Every structure is written in structure tokens, then in C-alpha cells.
Amino acid sequence: MSLHSLRSDERGFTLVELMAAIIVLLAGVLGAVALIDGANAGTTTASDRVGAVNLARELTEGARAADYNKLDPANIVDELRNQPQLAGSYSGSWTLNRRGVTYTVTTDVCTYDDKKDGIATTPPANVCANEPTSSTTDSNGDDFRRITFTVAWILNTKTRSVQQTTLIPNPSGGLGPRVVSLSETLVAIPPGDAGTTCPSTPPSASVSINAVTTPAASLHWTTDNAGSEGDATSADGRNWPINWNLDSPLVLDGTYTLTAQAFDDRGIPGDVKAATVALNRSCPQQPSGFQGGFNHRSTTGHDNGVLEFQWDANQERDIVGYRVYWAGPDGAQGGGNDVQICPASGTTPIPTTSCYADRPAGAGTSATYYVVAVDLRDIMNPQSPPRQGDPRMLAMTDPGDPRPTWPDGTTLTATLDGGYPTLTWDQAASPATGHTIRFYRIYRDGDPSSLSNRNNWVGFSSSTPPFVWPDPSPGSTTSHQYWVTAVDDQFNESDPVGPVTSP
């Protein structure tokens, strides 16, 4: 064939040649797609793994910040989940979400006895499986807690995981002996006494608590009640009976924290362990500072006048409230005709150390009232029956209606001082009978024209000059209306002066 013939030939590629070219091209494209898809999958896997590793580091740091004594199989999950950033959710397994991926966390924890300071004669609780158990010189084998965190997640139906292991050193250095157990709670109630009555048997004079330690030479204990501490003795260096004398110094009823710390024969201390001790040896003491009087400022809805009372808070730690009674026509507590007036009804005592009430029907202008403090029969059970203590009696006589007054021209001003509304006023005049001003009562907003608006009370001020009162909690705004009244030593209250509006 001539050169001219080749140039003028109009035949194209054959179908076989075209198909071959398509196959070659398709193989290249599919290879590129597969390469990109594999790269994306690798990126996702790497990203999920980075999230798992970061979470394992979070868990490790959380373990270092946790209570060392709670890093054990029974408590470690709850202890770590108490930290908000590690709370996650728990329904048979512990899961946390990071960057849209749900991770499941499992823990393995054991106690590690470091051979550098010897091996303890008795292995510590939950000792790591590969630890030796023969004795050398160590008095406390709890040197570290070894924790392994396994963080697992699912990718493309396959479970993947990472692990991280850490050693948490004993905060006492693992050198001193450890308090293994200490009675967590104890309620000292005289046996045989029940219900709402006061104890009929003498209250116990002491509390006995047993501390169990690893081998130790001594144990010191102390409480958050000033003056109560001591050193326990032990026959075997492991069991330490603690005897807390409750009468010298006198320990009032309530909940206390007792801590114990063991020492070895070199004086090196171990960790401190705490227990809660609940004492309920007797009924509440008489409240002190019981005062009361008749307030005649309001007559609307209070035709017999209003009784006001105040008293000092009891020092016992188990007091749940107070009750005030009219002693009845016979003026004696427990005569069968007593009338509860604070609260007006119900068995729940009031939590405050002051109250007001209508004069009971039948109570004359001279009557006897009393206040009692209330605790619970069982201090550890909020549903336990309440018990009343001994009464503090108060005989009162209504002096009539000579109330404090405000002299003509009395002023009440309000300014801002350091961002707080601050009131200033002139002195009120005592009643004509010669009674003195007891205190000034401050009302905020609302209408103080009736005693029914006592929810508007916001504070009290001294009866001696200067008469300045800064509002400690004005809320989200400093603009309020205020009134001030004067209250005398019979709790009779003046009309209000005001209102004044703070800036």
C-alpha cells in the first residue's frame, strides 16, 4: 500500500480497540476511587483512635485527681463519674461521647506492692496478680494503684479499642500503715427508748468505734468537735478500739466527722480515713433568749392583736426546728390544754428562730407561752418521729397600744453605696410608757400596711445610731421601694416611714 493510500484511509478504531481503551481507563478511575476511599477510611479510623487515646488520657488524669481510697473495683467507676467531664452515661456499661463517637470504657484496677521498699507480709486487698507474696520489710504493701483503661468503639461493624495503663501513687507515699476500715456511722441512742418521748435511761457516756489497719505501731484519732481526740491502743497492731468520751468535753447531739491515722514504729504516718458519727443521746435542750410581746400595728385580720416571739438557736447539730405553744388557761406546760401557735397547724416544726401568730381564742392579755426545740428520734432517718425537748416558758402581759412613733419631719433616704441600696433614717420615739426601741425592721417592695405582708421583710437594724442599713441582696436590680418601722421591747411596732425608692 502506498503512502498516499495510508493517508487517505478513513477507517477508525475497531470496537475491540475501543473496549480495550475503556477497560484501561476504567481500571485507572476505579483504582483512584479505591485509593481515595481507603484514604478516607484511614482518616476516620485515625480520627476515632485519636479520640480514644485522648479519652484514655482524660481518664488517667481523672484517676489522679480522685480519692485514692476509692480507686478499687467496687468504686472506681462511680468515683470517676463524679467528675462532670467523665460522667457520660451508665446502663450496664460506661459510655462517653467524644467528637460524635460513642466510646465504651472498662476499667481494671489492682493494688501494686513496689519491691523497692520490700514486700508486705500480708498482701494488700486486691493485690495485682503478678505480685510476690513473701515477706521482707514492707509494713504497707499499698504503694500504687495500677489502673488499665480499655476504650472501645465500633467502626464498620468491627469493635476497635485502645488501652492505657497508669500507676497512681499512694498519697501517703505508701510508707505509713493504712487504715483499712473505720465504722462509717454510729447512732448513740439509749436502748429501750422509743417514739417521741425523751430518753428514760441515762445516755451513754462514750462511743466505741473500731479501726482496722495494716500492721501499725500507733493510731491517732480526732473529731471536728473541738477538744475531742486521742490515741488508741491495740493488742495486735491491726485492730484499734477508739473510745470517744462524750462528757469531757461535753459533746452535744448531732453529726460529727471522726478521722483516724496510723503510724509505723518510725513515726511515719499513713493516709487519713474519715467516718461519720451520729449522736442522739437526749432530747433537745431548752432554747435560750426566749422573748415575746404584743404587736398592735395591724388590726386587719388580727382582731386580738399579733403575738411576736424570738429566741436563740440551739447549739445541738441535730435540731430540725422549733414549736411555740400557748400554755393554756392553767399556764402550765403539758396540762392537756396547750395550743400550738407556731406553726399554726401540722407537725412540721418551723426552721426559724422567730415567729408571729394570732392570739389564741381564750388567751387573755396576760398569758404564758413556751418554745421547744425539736429533733428526730433517729438522726439518720428523715422519716423518724420528731421529739420535743424541754420548754422555755415566758409569761407575757399586753401593755395595751402605746407604740413607737416617728417625730414630725422624720426622713428616710436611699442611696447607692458600692452598688448596694443603702437606707438612712432618723431615730424613732419610744412609747410614752417608757419602753425602749428594740430594733428597726426593713420592708422592701409590696405593701407593708398589714402584718400579713411579712414576706416583704428583708432585714433588721440596731436600735442605736447611726441608722444605716445596706441591702445585702437586692437581686438583679437596685431599684426598690423601702419602708422602715421601729419595734419596741414589747414587740409593738410603729407605723412605717417611707416609702423611698433606691436609685
Side-chain angles (χ1 to χ4, degrees), residues 20 50 93 139 188 381 417 465:
V50 168
S93 60
S139 63
N381 179 11
D417 186 0

Side-chain angles (χ1 to χ4, degrees), residues 209-222:
I209 299 174
N210 192 61
V212 179
T213 69
T214 57
S218 63
L219 182 137
H220 184 78
W221 61 271
T222 185

Side-chain angles (χ1 to χ4, degrees), residues 125-150:
N126 191 40
V127 67
C128 296
N130 61 343
E131 289 299 293
T133 57
S134 60
S135 172
T136 51
T137 59
D138 196 359
S139 63
N140 180 11
D142 188 358
D143 294 321
F144 299 91
R145 298 291 166 88
R146 187 173 72 191
I147 306 173
T148 299
F149 294 106
T150 302

Side-chain angles (χ1 to χ4, degrees), residues 19-185:
M19 292 299 296
I22 291 175
I23 292 173
V24 171
L25 181 60
L26 183 61
V29 171
L30 291 178
V33 170
L35 182 62
I36 294 172
D37 187 59
N40 288 337
T43 300
T44 300
T45 301
S47 178
D48 292 352
R49 185 171 295 275
V50 168
V53 171
N54 289 339
L55 177 56
R57 290 173 179 170
E58 285 186 60
L59 293 165
T60 299
E61 295 303 317
R64 295 184 185 279
D67 182 346
Y68 182 82
N69 289 322
K70 293 185 178 179
L71 296 179
D72 58 44
N75 296 296
I76 184 172
V77 172
D78 289 339
E79 180 67 12
L80 293 178
R81 292 189 67 231
N82 283 334
Q83 301 178 32
Q85 74 277 13
L86 296 177
S89 61
Y90 190 89
S91 180
S93 60
W94 182 17
T95 60
L96 299 103
N97 189 279
R98 294 293 187 271
R99 296 194 289 188
V101 179
T102 299
Y103 296 97
T104 300
V105 178
T106 56
T107 61
D108 181 73
V109 57
C110 61
T111 302
Y112 185 85
D113 188 357
D114 191 352
K115 293 182 287 186
K116 291 183 179 179
D117 61 347
I119 302 301
T121 305
T122 302
N126 191 40
V127 67
C128 296
N130 61 343
E131 289 299 293
T133 57
S134 60
S135 172
T136 51
T137 59
D138 196 359
S139 63
N140 180 11
D142 188 358
D143 294 321
F144 299 91
R145 298 291 166 88
R146 187 173 72 191
I147 306 173
T148 299
F149 294 106
T150 302
V151 180
W153 72 101
I154 296 176
L155 178 64
N156 296 329
T157 71
K158 293 183 179 180
T159 300
R160 305 172 187 270
S161 65
V162 297
Q163 282 190 341
Q164 184 159 317
T165 300
T166 185
L167 285 176
I168 307 296
N170 190 323
S172 66
L175 300 177
R178 184 169 62 91
V179 178
V180 177
S181 66
L182 187 66
S183 302
E184 284 295 322
T185 58

